[in-house]
Amino acid sequence: MSHEDVNYYEQRAEAEIEMAQRSKSTPAVQAHYQLATAYLDKIYGGATPAAE
């Protein structure tokens, strides 16, 4: 992934988090956090299994 792509996804994740914090509706908050998570997953990969 290019540096520009990483910057884009980071900026989108930050914007979604800001919108979640301003939202009054629970479903909207959840949607914004889900989108932020999706953008961060694009950069860092999905969740890794917990060590047993």
Side-chain angles (χ1 to χ4, degrees):
M1 179 178 303
S2 73
H3 185 67
E4 290 82 14
D5 289 341
V6 171
N7 283 340
Y8 171 79
Y9 292 126
E10 284 177 342
Q11 289 173 356
R12 291 302 312 140
E14 289 173 7
E16 292 297 338
I17 291 168
E18 288 174 7
M19 287 186 276
Q21 291 171 340
R22 289 193 309 260
S23 294
K24 305 285 187 221
S25 162
T26 299
V29 170
Q30 291 172 336
H32 287 301
Y33 279 128
Q34 287 174 346
L35 286 168
T37 299
Y39 286 124
L40 293 173
D41 283 349
K42 295 278 280 180
I43 300 168
Y44 301 110
T48 57
E52 296 183 29

